[in-house]
Every structure is written in structure tokens, then in C-alpha cells.
């Protein structure tokens, strides 16, 4: 049983201010409003001390709670609640009522605390999420470039598997520089691509308008800038992962998981010892099926998606990669069995959940992944340079 407090505080946090309510067992309550500045949060801490309140609950709304946590963590019991699980389902919604509701839940120990990672893990998570944002932005720029080419009736994507590969960039540069199709095609660096020079010539013969040249050149410049930022981010991620080298190697020993995905997965998990089992970790990622029970019958529905969307997205990407491998590993055979009965999409999600459960087991036991289906074990040795 949790210790019952006589007082508890609920804080409804916003961008510019927070509304706080201290609720006592006798039903009395004290309300106050504070600015969301360092000075304002320090005043909030002093107000809590003056009212002899040691327990504070807030909702995990964006990053606004970080400042409050940094100020209160050392002297108060800080509870971070999931906003979906703490929301009030009836009655008028005001800042005061929200603060009172949080205080009531906190006083009666009805808030399931969310996991708060140590500072180093939060920094690693911030870097990996920033990297994901840059990659998504680069993908959008590439899509816009291809759309601009299509608008000028240049079907380059139909002839090249990667428009932004070495040969693709050569063709794009020739187009924005105003060179003729013959000159561009004859100077393609790849002999393999050059075999299809007539098809490529027909695809780019229309040329670009001045506005299209300006837009495509701008997109290419921004893509190059993003690539430079990704190199810098990778160096910072490698620096923070030096202390977890063994964990990275274990994660990368599973087929379908590379360095980037291993870094993202480990950053989202944090300390894997916080999860009692692989099933708990799968539930944290939102990959567990929802459960319906009626009249003694139990049904499994779609996955809950109640968890880290970043972890869920990355492990599903790894599952896609593993499903395309040729090696008949146990994980691949599991995927094929599910796909035969339920289809590819459900099989991929099931495989992602399976991979998380396996990863948790390997991390807990500090073992590398081994499988008879692999021609040879995946030899993983991660080296971090001194510059990282």
C-alpha cells in the first residue's frame, strides 16, 4: 500500500502560466497561479513549502513540465501523469477544475506515474528524435523535387531507382545548369546506368523552366545542408552511446537493426531494467493488442498505440527490413506464418512486437542474438572514433 498523504498538489501547466491547487484530506483547497518562468516556478516551490505540501502531480503536456521537474525534483515527490489517463470526462473544463482534479487523483494515489529518464538519456532521446525530424524533412524535400520534375514532364524517377544517388544527382545538376540531354547522358558516371541512356534521354529531353530550376536548386541545397546536420547529429549520438557500446552491439545483432535504429530504440527505452518483461516493453511501445471481454468471451483487437510512437515507428521499420531478408531465421519464419493467416501488415506489426520482446531478453542477459537460420552469426563490433 502506498503511503497516504494529507495534502497533494495538482498543477495544470500551460505555456505562459500554471494553475496549482493544494487539496487536503479535510476537503479544504488552496488555489494559486504562477508564471512559467524560472522565477515563477521558484515561487511555486516556496508556496508548496509554506503550505507543507510535498507531493505534486502534473500532466505530461509537451515539454512544459521539464522546468517544473528540474526545480521540484530534489525536494518534492514529483508525479508525471499521462494526459490521456488523467483527463476528466464530464463537467465544464477550466484551468482551476483541471488543477483540482489532478490534486484529487494525486491525493488518492490514482495516477500511474510515467517514466522520467535521467538527463543523459533525455539528451540522447532529444538527439535521435531531432535526427528523425531532419530525415523526415529531407524526405519531403526529395518528394517536392520529384514533383517539380514531374510538373515539367521529366520522368526521371521512372528510369532511375534513386534520383538522389550518384547518377541521379549528376543528371539533376546537369538539368539545373542548363546542359543538353545529350551532354548529360554521355557524362553519366555509372556504366550500369549508362546502358539505359536512351531511356534517360527521353525522360529528361523536355528540360526545365527558370522557375523550376530555381526551386529544384533550392531543394538540392537544403538537402545538402540537412545531410551535413545529420553527420553532426550522428557524431553527437555516437558520443553519448559510448557508455552503452555493449547494448548497441546486442541490438545490432538482431537482423534488421542497424546502428541508427539501435540508437533510436535504446534512447526511447532508456534503462531496460525498468521493464519487468519483454511484454511490458511491448506494451510501453503501444504494440500490445487491445482486449475486449464480454459474456466470458475475450477478443483481441487492434494494437493500443498507447505508448512511445517513436519507438513503435522505429521497431516497425526494423521489422519491415527483417521481413525482406533472405535468411530463414526464426523471426522470418514467424513473420511468414502470421502473414499466411493474417496478411502482411498484421504480420509486420506482430514481428515488431516479437523483436522488442527478444531484444529485452538479450539486453537483460547481455547476450548476442543467435539463430540457426543465419549462415553465420551477425558479427557486430561498434567502434566510436575519438571525434564522436
Amino acid at each position: 500500500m502506498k503511503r497516504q498523504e494529507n495534502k497533494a498538489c495538482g498543477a495544470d501547466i500551460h505555456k505562459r502560466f500554471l494553475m496549482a491547487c493544494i487539496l487536503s484530506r479535510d476537503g479544504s483547497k488552496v488555489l494559486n497561479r504562477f508564471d512559467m518562468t524560472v522565477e515563477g516556478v521558484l515561487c511555486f516551490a516556496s508556496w508548496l513549502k509554506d503550505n507543507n505540501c510535498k507531493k505534486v502531480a502534473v500532466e505530461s503536456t509537451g515539454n512544459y513540465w521539464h522546468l517544473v521537474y528540474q526545480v521540484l525534483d530534489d525536494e518534492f515527490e514529483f508525479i508525471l501523469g499521462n494526459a490521456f489517463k488523467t483527463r476528466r470526462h464530464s463537467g465544464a473544463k477550466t484551468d482551476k477544475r483541471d488543477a483540482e482534479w489532478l490534486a484529487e487523483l494525486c491525493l488518492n494515489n490514482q495516477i500511474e506515474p510515467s517514466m522520467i529518464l535521467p538527463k543523459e538519456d533525455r539528451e540522447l532521446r532529444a538527439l535521435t528524435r531531432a535526427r528523425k525530424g531532419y530525415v523526415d524533412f529531407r524526405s519531403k524535400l526529395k518528394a517536392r523535387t520529384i514533383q517539380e520534375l514531374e510538373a515539367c514532364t521529366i520522368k526521371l524517377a521512372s528510369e532511375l531507382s534513386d534520383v538522389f544517388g550518384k547518377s541521379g544527382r549528376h543528371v539533376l545538376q546537369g538539368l539545373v545548369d542548363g546542359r543538353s540531354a545529350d551532354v548529360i547522358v554521355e557524362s553519366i558516371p555509372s556504366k550500369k546506368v549508362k546502358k539505359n541512356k536512351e531511356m534517360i534521354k527521353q525522360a529528361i529531353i523536355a528540360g526545365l523552366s527558370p522557375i523550376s530550376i530555381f526551386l529544384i536548386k533550392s531543394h538540392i541545397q537544403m538537402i545538402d545542408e540537412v545531410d551535413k546536420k545529420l553527420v553532426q547529429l550522428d557524431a553527437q549520438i555516437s558520443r553519448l552511446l559510448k557508455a552503452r557500446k555493449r547494448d548497441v552491439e546486442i541490438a545490432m545483432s538482431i537482423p534488421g537493426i542497424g546502428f541508427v535504429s539501435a540508437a533510436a530504440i535504446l534512447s526511447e527505452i532508456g534503462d531496460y531494467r525498468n521493464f519487468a518483461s519483454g511484454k511490458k516493453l511491448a506494451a510501453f511501445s503501444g504494440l500490445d493488442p487491445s482486449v475486449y471481454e464480454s459474456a466470458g468471451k475475450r477478443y483481441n483487437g487492434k494494437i493500443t498505440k498507447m505508448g512511445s510512437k517513436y519507438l513503435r515507428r522505429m521497431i516497425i521499420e526494423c521489422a519491415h527490413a527483417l521481413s525482406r531478408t533472405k535468411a530463414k531465421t526464426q523471426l522470418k519464419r514467424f513473420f511468414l506464418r502470421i502473414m499466411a493467416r493474417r496478411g502482411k501488415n498484421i504480420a509486420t506489426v506482430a514481428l515488431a512486437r516479437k523483436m522488442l520482446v527478444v531484444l529485452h531478453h538479450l539486453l537483460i542477459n547481455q547476450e548476442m542474438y543467435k539463430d540457426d537460420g543465419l549462415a553465420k552469426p551477425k558479427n557486430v563490433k561498434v567502434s566510436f572514433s575519438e571525434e564522436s
Side-chain angles (χ1 to χ4, degrees):
M1 292 291 291
K2 293 184 178 180
R3 181 169 61 90
Q4 295 288 328
E5 297 286 349
N6 292 323
K7 288 184 179 181
C9 176
D12 187 33
I13 302 177
H14 301 274
K15 183 176 181 179
R16 299 184 182 278
F17 69 92
L18 68 84
M19 180 63 68
C21 173
I22 296 178
L23 184 64
S24 302
R25 288 278 171 203
D26 59 8
S28 62
K29 57 188 176 185
V30 183
L31 288 160
N32 208 341
R33 173 174 163 156
F34 301 91
D35 293 333
M36 273 298 291
T37 60
V38 174
E39 184 179 357
V41 177
L42 287 172
C43 291
F44 174 49
S46 299
W47 178 71
L48 290 171
K49 291 178 183 177
D50 293 341
N51 286 276
N52 196 29
C53 179
K54 294 293 184 181
K55 192 173 183 180
V56 182
V58 303
E59 290 179 337
S60 55
T61 50
N63 293 326
Y64 301 148
W65 61 270
H66 285 189
L67 175 59
V68 180
Y69 172 72
Q70 291 169 6
V71 173
L72 302 184
D73 183 43
D74 293 334
E75 301 182 59
F76 298 87
E77 182 183 351
F78 185 88
I79 299 175
L80 182 67
N82 186 312
F84 181 81
K85 295 180 180 179
T86 58
R87 66 180 179 179
R88 195 168 188 167
H89 295 280
S90 61
K93 187 182 185 307
T94 65
D95 295 336
K96 290 183 179 180
R97 287 174 66 90
D98 287 346
E100 292 173 15
W101 178 244
L102 281 173
E104 182 179 341
L105 294 177
C106 182
L107 188 65
N108 295 300
N109 295 321
Q110 292 179 299
I111 299 179
E112 181 182 350
S114 296
M115 181 174 61
I116 301 177
L117 298 179
K119 182 181 178 181
E120 294 78 9
D121 291 338
R122 292 202 304 272
E123 290 176 346
L124 177 60
R125 177 183 283 186
L127 287 172
T128 55
R129 290 184 178 182
R131 191 187 192 285
K132 171 191 169 295
Y134 277 115
V135 170
D136 289 346
F137 179 57
R138 184 179 62 180
S139 298
K140 290 179 180 179
L141 288 172
K142 289 181 177 181
R144 289 173 185 170
T145 303
I146 293 174
Q147 287 173 1
E148 197 61 40
L149 291 171
E150 296 281 348
C152 295
T153 67
I154 294 179
K155 309 294 183 180
L156 189 59
S158 301
E159 304 302 331
L160 294 177
S161 58
D162 184 7
V163 176
F164 299 91
K166 186 176 180 180
S167 297
R169 286 295 295 265
H170 172 82
V171 175
L172 284 176
Q173 193 62 49
L175 287 171
V176 298
D177 289 343
R179 295 199 291 267
S180 67
D182 290 325
V183 174
I184 294 172
V185 169
E186 290 300 329
S187 57
I188 289 176
S190 172
K191 293 181 180 179
K192 183 178 179 180
V193 176
K194 206 170 184 179
K195 291 179 181 178
N196 299 325
K197 63 180 182 180
E198 290 302 323
M199 300 293 292
I200 296 173
K201 180 180 176 181
Q202 292 299 318
I204 66 174
I205 200 169
L208 296 172
S209 66
I211 296 299
S212 296
I213 290 174
F214 171 77
L215 290 173
I216 291 174
K217 189 180 291 186
S218 299
H219 293 337
I220 291 174
Q221 289 173 350
M222 294 183 73
I223 289 170
D224 291 339
E225 288 297 320
V226 172
D227 287 337
K228 292 177 183 177
K229 290 296 181 184
L230 288 174
V231 171
Q232 296 172 3
L233 276 172
D234 287 341
Q236 291 295 323
I237 291 170
S238 297
R239 179 181 61 82
L240 292 180
L241 279 174
K242 280 183 179 180
R244 303 185 65 180
K245 179 181 176 181
R246 179 62 178 172
D247 293 343
V248 176
E249 291 177 348
I250 290 172
M252 290 176 63
S253 70
I254 300 176
I257 298 181
F259 178 78
V260 172
S261 51
I265 290 169
L266 292 174
S267 70
E268 293 297 328
I269 292 174
D271 187 354
Y272 48 83
R273 288 176 288 269
N274 289 332
F275 300 95
S277 65
K279 292 181 179 180
K280 295 289 186 181
L281 177 57
F284 171 74
S285 69
L287 287 173
D288 260 8
S290 53
V291 177
Y292 304 92
E293 187 171 3
S294 179
K297 293 184 178 180
R298 186 168 177 167
Y299 306 92
N300 287 337
K302 297 180 180 179
I303 59 172
T304 63
K305 294 187 178 181
M306 292 293 294
S308 171
K309 62 181 181 181
Y310 299 96
L311 175 58
R312 186 167 61 253
R313 169 183 162 167
M314 184 54 66
I315 196 65
I316 288 177
E317 286 182 5
C318 294
H320 275 293
L322 194 156
S323 68
R324 292 192 293 268
T325 59
K326 295 181 180 179
K328 298 297 183 181
T329 61
Q330 292 182 19
L331 291 173
K332 179 64 177 290
R333 291 196 295 270
F334 171 82
F335 167 78
L336 293 174
R337 287 198 306 271
I338 302 297
M339 185 176 70
R341 294 187 290 111
R342 306 294 301 277
K344 186 176 180 180
N345 290 339
I346 292 178
T348 302
V349 173
L351 177 60
R353 183 185 182 280
K354 185 83 167 178
M355 291 173 70
L356 268 185
V357 174
V358 170
L359 176 60
H360 182 269
H361 171 82
L362 296 176
L363 289 172
I364 289 294
N365 295 282
Q366 289 294 288
E367 298 173 353
M368 303 292 279
Y369 180 79
K370 297 178 182 179
D371 198 308
D372 296 335
L374 293 173
K376 58 180 180 178
K378 193 175 177 183
N379 187 21
V380 180
K381 289 294 180 182
V382 182
S383 60
F384 297 101
S385 64
E386 294 298 326
E387 297 176 357
S388 295

